[in-house]
Amino acid sequence: MGHITRWQSGTAVFLALGIASGAVAPMIAPAPAAAQNVSFSDVSSAYWASDFIRALASRDIIAGFPDGTFRPNDPVTRAQFAAMVRKAFPKSRIRNAINFVDVPSNYWAFTAIQEAYTTGFLAGYPGNVFNPNQNIPRVQVLVSLANGLNYTASGSVSNVLGIYDDASGIPDYARSSVAAATERRIVVNYPSLDMLNPNRNATRAEVAAFIYQALVSSGQAQAINSPYIVGQPPAQAQTVIPSGTTIPVKYTKDKILVTKDETAPLTLTVDQNIVDRQGNVLIPANSEIVGELRPSNGGSQFVAQELVLTDGSRLAINASSAVITETETIRKGASVGDLLEGAALGSAAAAAVAAVTGDRAIATEEVLGGTAIGTLIGLFLGRDRIDLIVVNPDTDLDLRLNSDLRLPNK
């Protein structure tokens, strides 16, 4: 266990991300000239596999779906895994291709399957069957990566696998390969390090984590700090900012208007240094807190998701503001200029103002991200008035930690 310091607050066998028959296929993007910052609407920065997913997406090894999602909990088929292996690990063939009876030459993943087979990552079943649409279990992903990268266990297989409480469920054929993958820190177990769940279908998020760790193990990627990597070195000593601590924040606008039912993304700025008893700065002023305003108990509440320190470090954070219930009534014929002076609006609030006042000329820079205004205006047409939640950043948005915030010591 690392040393913990408490403080008081101060001021100053297969891969590619899954296309089951009839499902919407992930988008295939052209190879980027340089790494891109990729995000998906259903993979928040606090999601356990977000760093693995973003890293692979930035390398064009994986991609999302046309609707902007990644669907991290969907299963992965053998054909999809083959396509990802092909992109992640280009290598020379070690055996001749064979014709799988269930993979015709016009099949979308024909080439990827052939290459995954000839390079040693994948094999078929008796009778030259590949089963391309079969979902791949976690154990087969690990066997595939270990075999394709020619990894063998250096220690006692039984001793290595003893870290897993469910090691007895690992098939005999896979034990040596899983031990090799474990030694190379390819295995990522969420939420429990000691549960491998070998025979459960691998999810898109899990496959992304396994592949990224395989890239790290072969010197092709930088290590990611995750508490779910099996065999990772002991955690660094940490400083703990305790639950209940208040973090003062500020925002660039004088007020924020949202409807009672909308969720609006919002990034706040830490207003003052957060320091320990010795005056050491733990959270510098001007660090950013990324989150969103959400409906809560008839009002609106800011819920923090990620802390971005001034050095660029990112940490998941569990914090929230008080619930804001103060309202402002917008009436037909009101002056939009006066109303919006110094204000930011959620998309729904902007649509409501435009519909009630009849003034559609709301500057896009005043609107927080989310659904386009035009698609929402129809919800408010015909109304003579609308009550909006009004948030005063100077008094309403200071945050309270809902759980301990652990900062790695530097």
Side-chain angles (χ1 to χ4, degrees):
M1 294 290 293
H3 176 68
I4 302 296
T5 302
R6 285 206 172 260
W7 73 293
Q8 64 180 11
S9 64
T11 57
V13 165
F14 317 139
L15 160 92
L17 298 176
I19 312 171
S21 178
V24 179
M27 293 185 295
I28 303 299
Q36 304 172 29
N37 183 19
V38 181
S39 62
F40 302 100
S41 62
D42 55 350
V43 179
S44 72
S45 59
Y47 184 66
W48 72 269
S50 63
D51 288 343
F52 300 111
I53 292 168
R54 291 175 182 174
L56 287 194
S58 71
R59 290 169 172 245
D60 192 36
I61 294 172
I62 59 177
F65 292 82
D67 63 359
T69 63
F70 183 77
R71 304 178 193 175
N73 296 319
D74 280 6
V76 175
T77 67
R78 286 169 53 85
Q80 293 162 353
F81 182 74
M84 289 183 76
V85 165
R86 181 191 185 198
K87 283 192 171 186
F89 305 104
K91 56 177 289 194
S92 301
R93 65 168 56 191
I94 61 172
R95 57 190 177 191
N96 293 328
I98 63 172
N99 292 320
F100 293 108
V101 297
D102 53 352
V103 183
S105 59
N106 62 350
Y107 183 66
W108 73 268
F110 174 82
T111 301
I113 291 170
Q114 289 291 317
E115 290 189 15
Y117 175 81
T118 60
T119 54
F121 280 95
L122 296 176
Y125 294 93
N128 287 351
V129 172
F130 188 79
N131 287 332
N133 295 320
Q134 182 183 77
N135 292 333
I136 185 168
R138 285 165 54 89
V139 68
Q140 290 185 10
V141 175
L142 296 172
V143 169
S144 170
L145 295 173
N147 290 350
L149 295 172
N150 299 315
Y151 291 159
T152 57
S154 60
S156 164
V157 170
S158 294
N159 287 344
V160 173
L161 297 183
I163 191 173
Y164 304 118
D165 288 348
D166 54 353
S168 61
I170 301 173
D172 289 342
Y173 80 87
R175 289 176 63 82
S176 180
S177 295
V178 172
T182 301
E183 289 181 337
R184 296 283 184 152
R185 298 176 185 164
I186 294 174
V187 183
V188 183
N189 288 342
Y190 173 86
S192 300
L193 283 175
D194 54 6
M195 294 299 294
L196 181 65
N197 294 304
N199 301 306
R200 177 171 57 72
N201 287 339
T203 66
R204 287 166 54 84
E206 290 169 340
V207 169
F210 289 158
I211 289 180
Y212 188 84
Q213 285 302 109
L215 289 169
V216 172
S217 73
S218 56
Q220 300 178 66
Q222 295 294 316
I224 282 175
N225 183 25
S226 168
Y228 305 111
I229 299 171
V230 176
Q232 186 163 261
Q236 292 180 308
Q238 294 179 319
T239 297
V240 176
I241 303 178
S243 176
T245 298
T246 297
I247 301 177
V249 295
K250 59 185 177 181
Y251 186 62
T252 55
K253 297 289 187 177
D254 296 331
K255 66 179 179 180
I256 303 168
L257 298 174
V258 292
T259 67
K260 294 179 180 180
D261 300 319
E262 78 172 301
T263 297
L266 186 66
T267 298
L268 304 175
T269 302
V270 177
D271 193 30
Q272 300 170 325
N273 289 334
I274 305 299
V275 301
D276 62 14
R277 290 188 180 95
Q278 290 73 42
N280 299 310
V281 177
L282 303 179
I283 302 179
N286 297 317
S287 297
E288 293 185 334
I289 297 179
V290 181
E292 56 191 15
L293 286 167
R294 299 177 182 173
S296 178
N297 297 321
S300 186
Q301 181 181 40
F302 180 80
V303 177
Q305 298 169 326
E306 184 177 44
L307 170 64
V308 184
L309 300 175
T310 53
D311 64 359
S313 302
R314 294 175 176 266
L315 299 168
I317 181 174
N318 179 11
S320 58
S321 71
V323 176
I324 303 112
T325 58
E326 181 181 350
T327 61
E328 182 172 341
T329 301
I330 311 302
R331 302 179 188 279
K332 187 175 182 179
S335 170
V336 172
D338 293 340
L339 175 68
L340 301 187
E341 184 176 358
L345 296 87
S347 297
V353 170
V356 171
T357 65
D359 190 336
R360 307 294 174 87
I362 298 177
T364 56
E365 63 269 16
E366 296 170 341
V367 180
L368 304 175
T371 306
I373 297 174
T375 64
L376 297 173
I377 286 179
L379 299 175
F380 305 100
L381 289 175
R383 298 193 190 185
D384 293 328
R385 52 177 285 173
I386 184 75
D387 291 331
L388 300 179
I389 300 292
V390 56
V391 180
N392 184 336
D394 291 337
T395 59
D396 296 336
L397 292 179
D398 283 351
L399 303 180
R400 180 182 176 88
L401 288 178
N402 298 319
S403 62
D404 291 350
L405 176 61
R406 299 177 182 274
L407 304 171
N409 287 346
K410 299 181 178 181

